[in-house]
Amino acid sequence: MLTSIFFIAVMLVGVPIGLCLCLSGIVYIFSSGDNILTQSYPTQMFAGVDSYGLIAIPLFILIGEIMNSGGITRRLVDLSMAFIGSVKGGLAYVNVLANMLVSSIIGSATAQVAIMSQVMVPEMEKQGYDKTFAAGLTVYGGMLGPIIPPSVMFVVFSVLAQVAVGDMLIAGILPGVLLTLIFFALIAAMGVVYNYPRSEHRTLRQRASTVLSASPTLLIPIVIVGSILGGLANPTEAAAVGAVSAVIVGKYVTREFDLRTLPQILLRSAIYSAIVLFLVAAAAVFSWLLIYGKVPQTVAAWIQTVAKDPISFLLLVNVILLVIGTVIDGIPGLIMTAPILLPIATEVYHIDPRHFGVVIVINLVLGLMSPPVGLSFFVASAVTGAKPGKMFLVTFPFFVASCVALVLLSLFPALSLGLLK
């Protein structure tokens, strides 16, 4: 109780969330009086980032920076505009569609939000959209990053569940498309209510020209996703190949990437990576202390007494994971909960592990958009200057829509397993 009160208090006074998690862990250790916990604290923090798979995060961030510098992200946005056309709320549709295309390159929600906020928010402001709404919409578009291949979280889950990595990545395709279509429907409804501006009109010839000039940029997601699904590389190796591909495309195709800017790009990538990885390390410590306090084990035992069938189990897990995801980052949250909940899901309720993996990952990703932490909102705030709390309120309908999508995925396994049959 003391730890919870301290966590909420320091967060409300504006202490960065990473420090909130670290300081709350220290308070818990001192209140417990266990010297072993004190000695293990720095070790657990280091262990949180001591993972080969996490190397993919700096590489994906680097890819995003190279894409921005080489004009690749802009061409993907232009490609989305060519497909959408001049409809009411067109740039809002473009934001989601462009996030969907970029998801197949970056694979990380926080990294994607950081990159796309720099591109989409200023453009939407120019066309009359509220900055807070534009930033919030970009955050929800960033949900697609850990769902559409490549996905570091799906790779981590496949290792924990001992299922094929390729199966888990394929299982994320239909849920990603479903979320995109639901967001489109919501934008259409909100566009009527709030009278969103129309995007710039383009002739058929202009659209064709845009598609021809932007199509080579799709080489990057093809290389990344193709190498992973084809079994030629793991996500970290694919990210490295993707970074080289981004340099080649930016240098020789778009001809906008200047090698002299590489030191600044590496510096920016290092800064963003340090922020994300520090949050992962802090969340790892927090997760470790939760496990020490036997919180997850107690919850798992309680679930078995409450849920009587697979559907009630999944719906109950959705609520629990959404709460956990609000205070713990995706990968540490996955590592903490999957080993406890997966055996119950597969052995007691006979749920396909790949289906359960999709549900658990999307749930934890949605937690990144939920108070009190809302990590993705803080990332967007750091880039755009918009207030995190206001972003959540303005885009609350997208939170509700995401919850609806999660319920549909829980009720209908075919929405995640359809491409595997």
Side-chain angles (χ1 to χ4, degrees):
M1 179 63 71
L2 175 63
T3 305
S4 302
I5 295 173
F6 179 83
F7 176 82
I8 295 173
V10 294
M11 185 183 63
L12 290 177
V13 298
V15 176
I17 187 61
L19 290 178
C20 287
L21 294 173
C22 291
L23 294 174
S24 298
I26 293 173
V27 169
Y28 176 84
I29 290 172
F30 282 137
S31 63
S32 68
D34 192 333
N35 292 329
I36 296 178
L37 292 180
T38 305
Q39 297 169 4
S40 301
Y41 186 93
T43 304
Q44 291 296 328
M45 176 169 277
F46 175 77
V49 292
D50 185 21
S51 171
Y52 175 74
L54 291 178
I55 299 175
I57 294 177
L59 289 171
F60 284 135
I61 292 175
L62 176 61
I63 292 173
E65 289 288 345
I66 295 173
M67 287 167 54
N68 274 344
S69 180
I72 298 171
T73 305
R74 169 54 55 195
R75 279 169 172 75
L76 288 174
V77 173
D78 288 342
L79 186 63
S80 302
M81 289 182 175
F83 285 126
I84 294 298
S86 56
V87 298
K88 184 181 289 293
L91 207 53
Y93 291 107
V94 168
N95 191 328
V96 176
L97 183 58
N99 267 290
M100 184 180 181
L101 293 175
V102 175
S103 294
S104 60
I105 299 174
I106 297 180
S108 166
T110 50
Q112 183 163 325
V113 168
I115 297 301
M116 293 302 292
S117 293
Q118 299 176 51
V119 178
M120 291 306 307
V121 176
E123 190 67 28
M124 292 183 72
E125 275 193 284
K126 289 179 185 177
Q127 294 201 17
Y129 290 86
D130 176 64
K131 179 174 71 173
T132 302
F133 170 77
L137 180 61
T138 305
V139 167
Y140 282 99
M143 275 189 69
L144 302 174
I147 301 171
I148 296 176
S151 168
V152 176
M153 289 186 68
F154 278 149
V155 173
V156 172
F157 180 85
S158 68
V159 173
L160 296 173
Q162 296 184 345
V163 299
V165 174
D167 285 356
M168 283 307 307
L169 294 178
I170 293 173
I173 295 175
L174 288 180
V177 173
L178 173 65
L179 271 173
T180 301
L181 294 177
I182 289 177
F183 287 166
F184 277 0
L186 184 56
I187 290 171
M190 293 178 69
V192 174
V193 175
Y194 297 105
N195 194 28
Y196 290 155
R198 293 181 179 273
S199 55
E200 181 183 351
H201 176 72
R202 297 187 180 192
T203 65
L204 184 60
R205 186 172 182 176
Q206 288 174 322
R207 292 186 190 181
S209 175
T210 299
V211 171
L212 288 175
S213 64
S215 293
T217 60
L218 295 176
L219 173 67
I220 302 172
I222 291 173
V223 167
I224 295 175
V225 178
S227 62
I228 295 174
L229 298 184
L232 301 176
N234 60 42
T236 301
E237 295 164 346
V241 174
V244 175
S245 302
V247 171
I248 293 173
V249 172
K251 179 68 176 177
Y252 299 105
V253 178
T254 65
R255 300 180 183 276
E256 294 185 27
F257 181 69
D258 188 348
L259 290 175
R260 290 174 295 183
T261 64
L262 193 57
Q264 291 87 352
I265 288 175
L266 292 173
L267 178 61
R268 288 197 300 271
S269 299
I271 292 172
Y272 281 129
S273 300
I275 293 172
V276 174
L277 292 175
F278 176 73
L279 288 169
V280 172
V285 172
F286 199 73
S287 302
W288 164 63
L289 292 173
L290 285 177
I291 293 173
Y292 180 83
K294 297 183 179 181
V295 174
Q297 293 89 330
T298 303
V299 171
W302 173 74
I303 287 177
Q304 294 182 68
T305 64
V306 175
K308 304 302 181 183
D309 55 72
I311 293 178
S312 61
F313 168 74
L314 284 174
L315 294 178
L316 185 59
V317 165
N318 282 337
V319 176
I320 293 172
L321 290 181
L322 186 59
V323 174
I324 293 175
T326 60
V327 295
I328 300 176
D329 192 46
I331 292 177
L334 186 63
I335 294 172
M336 182 189 76
T337 57
I340 298 170
L341 297 175
L342 182 62
I344 302 173
T346 56
E347 297 171 13
V348 179
Y349 298 100
H350 307 292
I351 298 171
D352 190 297
R354 298 166 298 183
H355 175 217
F356 186 69
V358 169
V359 172
I360 193 174
V361 166
I362 294 179
N363 212 313
L364 291 171
V365 170
L366 185 57
L368 296 174
M369 290 83 182
S370 310
V373 177
L375 176 60
S376 290
F377 283 120
F378 281 93
V379 173
S381 174
V383 176
T384 66
K387 299 295 183 182
K390 191 175 179 183
M391 268 190 277
F392 177 77
L393 293 176
V394 169
T395 56
F396 182 72
F398 289 90
F399 178 79
V400 175
S402 301
C403 291
V404 170
L406 188 57
V407 171
L408 291 175
L409 289 167
S410 301
L411 297 178
F412 304 103
L415 291 175
S416 54
L417 304 178
L419 296 180
L420 295 170
K421 296 180 179 180

